[in-house]
Amino acid sequence: MAIALVVTVVLVRVAPVGLHGTDAACYAHIAQALAAKPVTDWADVRWLADEPFYEHPPLGLWLEGGWFAVFGASAASAVAWARVLALLLALFVGVLGFRLGGREGAALALVGLSSLATFQREAENPMLELPLAVACAAAFVACEALPRLGRGAVLAFAACATVAFWIKGVVAFALVGGLVWAWWRGTPRGRILVAASVSAALASFTVLAFEFARWRGGLPPFFPDYFAKHVLVAFAEGRHTVEPSPLFHVATLLDWHLPALLALPVVGLRWRATPGMRPFAVLGVAWLVCVVVPFSLAQQKSAWHLNVLMPGDALLVGAALMCLPAPVLRFTSPVLAAWMVAWVVVEYRTAAQPSARQVAVRAMATVPAPPAGSAVQNCSVLTDWPARHLFAFHWGARVVPCEGDGAWRFDGKELRRASP
């Protein structure tokens, strides 16, 4: 029943698809361009007016570009990619829950994942946090195996950590929380150090190989610019959204991650009485600390930065659910069935009352496109940043202000020729 709930949350969406995330259209546009050129040229990632892209390492964009190369570049294809990633995340969370607590542990972890507003939103949002969360959840599965499997688990963790690094860069360092958890569960310190060292070596090797490929292609180095112009500036000064308050993410946690916060006092009060939930709770708390603290200290903050908490959140909620009395847990199946019915009802009601922004984003995927390269006046509610990339991705058009000089006009619902 827990699997059915996850599938319902991910796949049952009544409203038409659209690239609603702030950067979803930006990344889709980059991936669209990648899919249109040979893979041998993918070391050169570009965006905006054909400018080099140094915001993040390119693996997440390469994966979406590969998806587009097979299934075509469209909003429906991009959202389908997000849904595949959401199901992969559920798979790793379920496997981890099973390894820690059997069938009940897997089921309760999946229920925890389904309860998160952040998972419900990200499940159709093709940005970078979802593939990052998948890589981190896979790394946690490897961490669980470290006390038993040794070399295989070390290599698996190193591979997952490297993938996480290539998707969102330095955020992958938060995986030290998984290694601390593995040590708490009895992994020898030497094996922990080996796992960390192999991860660093593998990531370094792939970086050098990438830089060599760029050098062979006559391109400038990537990672020096990434660290200097993105990582350091974002942490010390902020770039797009400067939020100096270290308490900024309190509101994010209370909104998108509320079930995990509510789980914290439950697991604290039931720590001694329910020993079976401790591995879930410790990993969830370790992940919460390792992600939230660095992001809270950085000057640049956005609510979606914490979406990578999803696998840890799921374990925390699962731990709290394990504290419920056995007679209460017997009613799990009918409760989940009612939850699925309620989800479908809410989806229908929400689809019937879309916001102006939702209407505008969805309209772009359906209206006939203007000639490629056209200038389109943006007279919709969309701000310049998403409009710029949505126009480029869907129509191959450039955006101009509503009063600007453009041959076409988009009012948020329809695309028409501009008045002379």
Side-chain angles (χ1 to χ4, degrees):
M1 189 62 76
I3 294 174
L5 175 63
V6 171
V7 171
T8 299
V9 169
V10 173
L11 299 183
V12 178
R13 304 283 180 152
V14 178
V17 297
L19 301 176
H20 298 287
T22 302
D23 290 332
C26 171
Y27 298 146
H29 186 214
I30 296 172
Q32 181 185 47
L34 288 171
K37 62 183 184 180
V39 175
T40 52
D41 294 335
W42 281 20
D44 185 15
V45 180
R46 295 182 174 271
W47 69 331
L48 297 175
D50 203 33
E51 298 177 14
F53 180 83
Y54 293 104
E55 298 280 309
H56 305 291
L59 180 57
L61 304 171
W62 289 343
L63 292 173
E64 189 172 5
W67 180 268
F68 282 169
V70 175
F71 298 102
S74 66
S77 180
V79 171
W81 170 238
R83 290 173 175 169
V84 167
L85 290 172
L87 293 175
L88 274 176
L89 175 60
L91 173 64
F92 286 120
V93 167
V95 169
L96 183 57
F98 182 80
R99 291 299 314 169
L100 296 175
R103 293 182 61 181
E104 179 183 276
L108 295 180
L110 290 177
V111 171
L113 184 66
S114 301
S115 72
L116 302 170
T118 182
F119 178 72
Q120 297 164 9
R121 300 180 191 189
E122 289 301 288
E124 60 173 1
N125 186 20
M127 287 173 52
L128 298 181
E129 282 69 26
L130 191 50
L132 174 63
V134 172
C136 292
F140 295 154
V141 174
C143 286
E144 188 280 329
L146 275 175
R148 307 188 319 276
L149 301 183
R151 183 181 302 175
V154 165
L155 294 176
F157 177 82
C160 295
T162 300
V163 168
F165 173 79
W166 274 91
I167 292 172
K168 208 69 188 291
V170 296
V171 181
F173 288 114
L175 283 170
V176 68
L179 293 178
V180 171
W181 175 72
W183 169 76
W184 173 79
R185 297 189 69 243
T187 305
R189 292 181 183 178
R191 193 173 297 173
I192 296 293
L193 291 175
V194 169
S197 300
V198 173
S199 301
L202 182 59
S204 299
F205 174 77
T206 56
V207 166
L208 291 174
F210 178 65
E211 295 292 15
F212 178 74
R214 286 178 64 87
W215 174 75
R216 287 286 300 271
L219 300 171
F222 176 89
F223 280 95
D225 269 29
Y226 164 69
F227 284 110
K229 298 179 181 178
H230 179 74
V231 176
L232 294 179
V233 173
F235 191 86
E237 303 172 19
R239 299 174 66 245
H240 308 305
T241 52
V242 180
E243 296 286 352
S245 172
L247 301 179
F248 171 83
H249 282 304
V250 171
T252 304
L253 293 169
L254 290 171
D255 183 8
W256 293 12
H257 307 268
L258 182 59
L261 286 190
L262 295 177
L264 287 174
V266 175
V267 298
L269 291 172
R270 299 289 297 174
W271 182 261
R272 294 194 177 192
T274 317
M277 62 78 173
R278 292 175 190 171
F280 291 74
V282 172
L283 179 54
V285 171
W287 191 232
L288 188 72
V289 171
C290 288
V291 171
V292 173
V293 171
F295 274 127
S296 296
L297 295 177
Q299 295 297 297
Q300 180 172 320
K301 300 181 182 73
S302 294
W304 61 81
H305 288 167
L306 297 192
N307 286 341
V308 69
L309 286 174
M310 287 185 284
D313 284 353
L315 294 178
L316 269 175
V317 178
L321 293 174
M322 291 175 74
C323 298
L324 294 174
V328 175
L329 288 175
R330 293 196 190 101
F331 293 96
T332 300
S333 292
V335 169
L336 295 185
W339 186 345
M340 287 186 284
V341 172
W343 175 268
V344 175
V345 172
V346 170
E347 275 291 301
Y348 272 99
R349 297 189 65 176
T350 303
Q353 300 174 331
S355 67
R357 187 182 188 280
Q358 290 171 330
V359 171
V361 170
R362 293 166 185 162
M364 290 188 188
T366 57
V367 300
S374 297
V376 179
Q377 298 171 354
N378 177 27
C379 302
S380 70
V381 299
L382 297 172
T383 56
D384 178 72
W385 176 260
R388 184 188 311 181
H389 298 291
L390 286 165
F391 284 23
F393 176 72
H394 288 295
W395 302 332
R398 60 185 179 88
V399 65
V400 296
C402 190
E403 303 80 13
D405 185 15
W408 297 82
R409 181 178 185 274
F410 179 63
D411 63 4
K413 295 181 180 180
E414 296 180 343
L415 178 69
R416 296 177 177 152
R417 282 199 169 274
S419 302

